[in-house]
Structure formats: structure tokens, C-alpha cells
């Protein structure tokens, strides 16, 4: 299971991550297309344009705080054809999200620092584990070292944030 | 568009194909999983086990004889995960079909000689074209050279043949 807590952060989180000795793993320029499936299910086709890779990802949210996910993901050879198949099967596109992601690792903790135009900067701290409580303890241990607090947690999904943004601006 | 006519054939069709100078392209050991989507739509995940490749294929049947198909296909990195995603999205498996396919080419005509346990041997003669009538003319021209006649045409889909077989034997 994927355990992940999302924090609203400021740009200087990068220096704090590096002073924690988290190892920079890579940059991903991501384009996510989410389809309209009923929550707690999530269906996404992602293109990582700077790496030339695309993925189909299916998730089921397992908890009320959007922190525990069952995830199935596999690579696909063509972003647009994958989107076309889901559309032709009757799934509507719910939202498209573009983000720039810096990825860091520290032991088995993964940090995804996302810059999303119009929404701001977010740090997803993630651990893959069958023990959600132990995983969250680990996540909070490093989060506190980064100076992050409960009030910085953003419980909403990216897709919810993007949809709120577009309904506010329309 | 994919234009394809399926014929019931006997084993000796292979020699006739070779005497036509059709070029042998390759052998594929295929495992197809079809999902229960309403006709004229078809949704399939295919593993070509001897090549270590898997594909998601979506088709729409465009005519009454199952000869004209709109097709979208892309490669996926994991056969089982692709099946899992469709199952979790609510699609039931309708049928699984295993076949051994010999592929031949002659110009822009593709011959797929399929041996399906329990069902027999079938030759799919295929042309990719935006002109179905011209494509069918081309297909019948080579079909006649192979000694194939109207009565040899099998208009049913493989998925229909397999489902008839399993309902007869149950």
C-alpha cells in the first residue's frame, strides 16, 4: 500500500530537504489526465514528458484523510491512445493537471516536491508499506525535521484542488 | 481502419500460403482476455508470451459482417496489472482465448493463421485501409488464389466462437 501525506510548502523546503541529506533522484515534468470514476476510485493516465514515459494508474483511497492508497500502475507505449481507449469506453475526463516534480529519497521515504501552476508548492511524503500506522510515524518523523506541522497538511486530492480552482475562477 | 475476413481452413493452407510467396513474418503465442463491454465495442488485453509483450486493444465493429474494425492499440508493461485495472473498474472477464498464430505478409496484405485448441484453424486475411470495398476486393483476390470460398468465411468473432463452445460443453 502507498501511504502518503501531502503538505503545503514554501519554495525554501528544497534547502531543508537537502540539509536533511535526502538524495535528489530526478525531475519529472508530469501531465496527468484524471477520468471521472466514483471516489474512492481514481483513474489516471500520466505522461512524464521529459522522460518520454507514460503510465496508467488506478488507485483506491483506503482512508478518510486521503493518506492510504491501494495502487496499480503499469507503463504504456502511448499516452494519447491510452486516453482515447478510456474515453471510448465511456469515461469522461475530469481534470488535467500539469506539474513539475523534484524527487528525493531518504531511506525508504520518498519526497515528491510538486510545483503546480495556479495551486502552489506541495510536498508529498510517501512510504510503501503494509503497516499504515508505522508508515505515518515514519513520515511525521521526517516531516517534523523539515519543520512541517499538522496545519500544513493538505488533505484534499490534487484533482479536488484543481477542480475547486477552476470552479472559483469560472 | 482494419479490414479483416476470417476463414475456416485446414492445416494444408500453410503450404498454399507459401506457394503464393507470402513471406513468413513470425510466430506468436497469444493469450487474449476479453472484457464484457457491449457490442459493437471490444476490449482486450493480449499477452504474446513468446515475445514477452502485452497490449491493450480496443475495437469497434463498423459493419454487420464483423469485417470492418476501428482499432486502438498500445503496448503495456504488465499483462496482469492491465487486467486488474479493468476488473477494478468494473469490467468482467467475458472470455480467455489462447492461440498460436503464424503471420505471413504479401504486399500490404497480412495473413494470420490461428490454431485455437478446441476450435480449429482459422485464417484472418487483413488489410489496413480507409477504403473497405477496395480492401475487401484485395482480400478476396488472394483468398481465391488460396482456394477459399464464401462458404469458408466464419463471420463470428473469436469471442463468440469460444463462448458458443463453452455453452455447448456445459
Amino acid at each position: 500500500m502507498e501511504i502518503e501525506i501531502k503538505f503545503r510548502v514554501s519554495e525554501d523546503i528544497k534547502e531543508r530537504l537537502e540539509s536533511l541529506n535526502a538524495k535528489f533522484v530526478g525531475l519529472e515534468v508530469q501531465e496527468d489526465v484524471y477520468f471521472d470514476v466514483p471516489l474512492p476510485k481514481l483513474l489516471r493516465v500520466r505522461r512524464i514528458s521529459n522522460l518520454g514515459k507514460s503510465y496508467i494508474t488506478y488507485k483506491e483511497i483506503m482512508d478518510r484523510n486521503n493518506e492510504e492508497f491501494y495502487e496499480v500502475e503499469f507503463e504504456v507505449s502511448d499516452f494519447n491512445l491510452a486516453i482515447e481507449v478510456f474515453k471510448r469506453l465511456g469515461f469522461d475526463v475530469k481534470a488535467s493537471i500539469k506539474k513539475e516534480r523534484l524527487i528525493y529519497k531518504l531511506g525508504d521515504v520518498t519526497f515528491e516536491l510538486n510545483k503546480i501552476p495556479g495551486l502552489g508548492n506541495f510536498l508529498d511524503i510517501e512510504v510503501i508499506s503494509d503497516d499504515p500506522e508505522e508508515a505515518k510515524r515514519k513520515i511525521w518523523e521526517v516531516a517534523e525535521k523539515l519543520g512541517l506541522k499538522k496545519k500544513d497538511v493538505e488533505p484534499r486530492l490534487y484533482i479536488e484542488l484543481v477542480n475547486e480552482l477552476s470552479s472559483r475562477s469560472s
Side-chain angles (χ1 to χ4, degrees), chain A:
Chain A
M1 206 158 52
E2 180 193 65
I3 317 297
E4 181 179 289
I5 303 181
K6 186 199 288 91
F7 298 89
R8 286 193 174 267
V9 295
S10 56
E11 290 262 20
D12 67 344
I13 194 78
K14 225 170 109 176
E15 285 74 55
R16 281 184 275 156
L17 269 171
E18 281 159 11
S19 69
L20 211 69
N21 279 324
K23 199 189 151 215
F24 177 67
V25 179
L27 160 74
E28 294 186 354
V29 180
Q30 301 180 340
E31 183 181 350
D32 293 346
V33 172
Y34 282 90
F35 292 90
D36 199 5
V37 294
L39 288 174
K41 299 181 180 188
L42 294 169
L43 176 63
R44 179 182 76 197
V45 180
R46 167 173 290 172
R47 164 154 61 191
I48 305 178
S49 58
N50 64 316
L51 304 181
K53 287 179 177 282
S54 296
Y55 299 86
I56 288 175
T57 309
Y58 170 90
K59 294 195 192 201
E60 275 174 36
I61 307 165
M62 308 297 280
D63 70 328
R64 290 166 151 263
N65 301 319
N66 296 328
E67 294 178 350
E68 303 172 24
F69 299 88
Y70 175 79
E71 184 180 307
V72 182
E73 185 170 67
F74 54 92
E75 194 176 345
V76 300
S77 61
D78 193 295
F79 177 71
N80 291 315
L81 294 183
I83 290 169
E84 184 183 347
V85 165
F86 286 121
K87 281 184 178 170
R88 287 186 177 265
L89 287 171
F91 296 97
D92 294 324
V93 171
K94 196 173 179 181
S96 292
I97 307 176
K98 292 189 183 192
K99 54 175 166 316
E100 244 186 58
R101 169 175 289 181
L102 299 174
I103 304 166
Y104 293 84
K105 286 220 172 218
L106 185 66
D108 55 355
V109 181
T110 302
F111 301 87
E112 299 169 344
L113 178 54
N114 297 308
K115 185 196 287 263
I116 308 181
L119 279 185
N121 295 293
F122 300 88
L123 181 67
D124 294 348
I125 309 183
E126 183 185 305
V127 169
I128 304 296
S129 167
D130 287 330
D131 182 345
E133 294 319 311
E134 165 66 11
K136 286 179 202 175
R137 204 195 48 72
K138 244 184 220 176
I139 290 171
W140 273 108
E141 193 183 306
V142 290
E144 280 165 13
K145 285 187 192 162
L146 290 167
L148 297 169
K149 309 221 179 333
K150 287 258 188 245
K151 68 168 177 51
D152 302 315
V153 171
E154 174 51 77
R156 286 168 293 181
L157 303 166
Y158 286 116
I159 186 171
E160 292 172 332
L161 294 169
V162 165
N163 282 339
E164 283 170 27
L165 184 75
S166 61
S167 65
R168 271 209 308 279
S169 62
S170 66

